[in-house]
Amino acid sequence: MNKHSALGPAHGPLPGEVWLIGAGPGDPGLLTLRAAEALKRADLVLHDALPGRAVLRLIRPGAEIVAVGKRKGAAPVSQARINARLVAGARAGLRVIRLKGGDPFVFGRGGEEAQALDEAGIPWKVVPGVTAGTAAPAAAGIPLTHRGVASAVTFVTGHDEGGNLPGAVDWQVLARLGGTIAAFMALSRLDEIALQLLAGGRSPATPVAVIAQATTPDQQVLHTTLGTCTLDARRANLPTPALVVIGEVASLALGAPRAAAVPRRVAL
């Protein structure tokens, strides 16, 4: 029996230790108390391209802050280089934080970084974050499950490391499973995803919601259907990051007015 906990304790990282911290979906108010406290103790922070950059203001003055996330038009920092910088920082006796959007272990490559730290003999902890998979639908008034409508949820990534539709995902099987599909990073491959789901038997009338920049002041929500989502999303020219919710629950949009196929800007 393993009684060791990988969760970060209350005090923050120790010298020579790396913490993998989830920054949440964008709204700094959704950052956990433990994450906020840890940021005040860091010596080195490597952060993703966060939609809610206000989180970075919580980092203590004097800490080194390094952007390693992907940004349009800029060459991405390779995962190998990020891993090497985490290891080097810890070996130099620094209190290191890897600040990642959402949750580190939900399509965030936190597992790869933890594995690299294990291999290098570097102690690490993780601070879970609020994943966009649940926060984005909630911010749009969409329950992922709803009695009599959906009793299952599938979280899936919309593209692989090369930007292509993941070959390991059988979208036609997902179509037959029913329930709700929450697709991360799926906007660029929405046409292929829609075609695969239609080929698997999903109805063209299946409701779809595309939630862009969720929980930030620039949040926009596009309500459409599986048969028209590709064209509607192209016309709306939605910003990223965006989460795509596919299934009957996407038509609910509780607590907010909506118009089909029209992006809605939400003031937070």
Side-chain angles (χ1 to χ4, degrees):
M1 180 185 295
N2 184 0
K3 295 184 178 182
H4 168 74
S5 174
L7 298 182
H11 58 71
L14 298 172
E17 193 172 61
V18 176
W19 278 28
L20 310 172
I21 293 181
D27 180 352
L30 295 176
L31 190 74
T32 66
L33 293 174
R34 185 153 297 176
E37 182 63 27
L39 289 171
K40 298 175 185 176
R41 300 170 181 261
D43 298 314
L44 170 64
V45 178
L46 279 65
H47 70 87
D48 282 344
L50 304 173
R53 294 181 60 81
V55 170
L56 300 180
R57 292 199 287 268
L58 298 174
I59 299 171
R60 75 167 184 86
E64 183 180 2
I65 303 173
V66 182
V68 296
K70 293 182 179 179
R71 287 199 176 277
K72 190 173 182 180
V77 179
S78 71
Q79 189 61 57
R81 286 181 59 193
I82 294 172
N83 294 347
R85 187 67 187 273
L86 293 174
V87 170
R91 285 179 173 165
L94 301 178
R95 294 168 294 182
V96 183
I97 285 178
R98 175 71 173 99
L99 188 61
K100 308 174 75 66
D103 181 275
F105 286 176
V106 181
F107 302 120
R109 297 188 182 179
E112 296 177 39
E113 291 166 353
Q115 188 174 40
L117 294 168
D118 272 347
E119 292 171 355
I122 302 296
W124 61 270
K125 296 290 185 181
V126 62
V127 178
V130 178
T131 172
T134 56
I142 298 171
L144 289 175
T145 62
H146 195 70
R147 187 164 55 177
V149 179
S151 57
V153 183
T154 300
F155 292 104
V156 63
T157 180
H159 66 72
D160 61 17
E161 187 174 359
N164 302 309
L165 201 65
V169 176
D170 192 327
W171 293 92
Q172 294 189 34
V173 169
L174 291 185
R176 293 190 289 273
L177 284 176
T180 305
I181 297 173
F184 292 68
M185 302 169 286
L187 197 54
S188 64
R189 289 288 175 257
L190 189 54
D191 52 347
E192 297 171 74
I193 291 171
L195 286 173
Q196 289 286 335
L197 293 176
L198 290 169
R202 279 285 178 112
S203 167
T206 301
V208 172
V210 183
I211 310 158
Q213 297 192 344
T215 77
T216 74
D218 295 320
Q219 175 175 304
Q220 296 181 55
V221 183
L222 173 70
H223 287 278
T224 178
T225 66
L226 194 59
T228 63
C229 61
T230 298
L231 181 58
D232 289 339
R234 189 176 298 120
R235 286 173 173 169
N237 193 28
L238 295 171
T240 57
L243 184 92
V244 179
V245 178
I246 303 165
E248 296 304 318
V249 296
S251 67
L252 295 176
L254 304 174
R258 56 173 283 270
V262 176
R264 171 168 51 84
R265 192 176 294 272
V266 179
L268 298 178

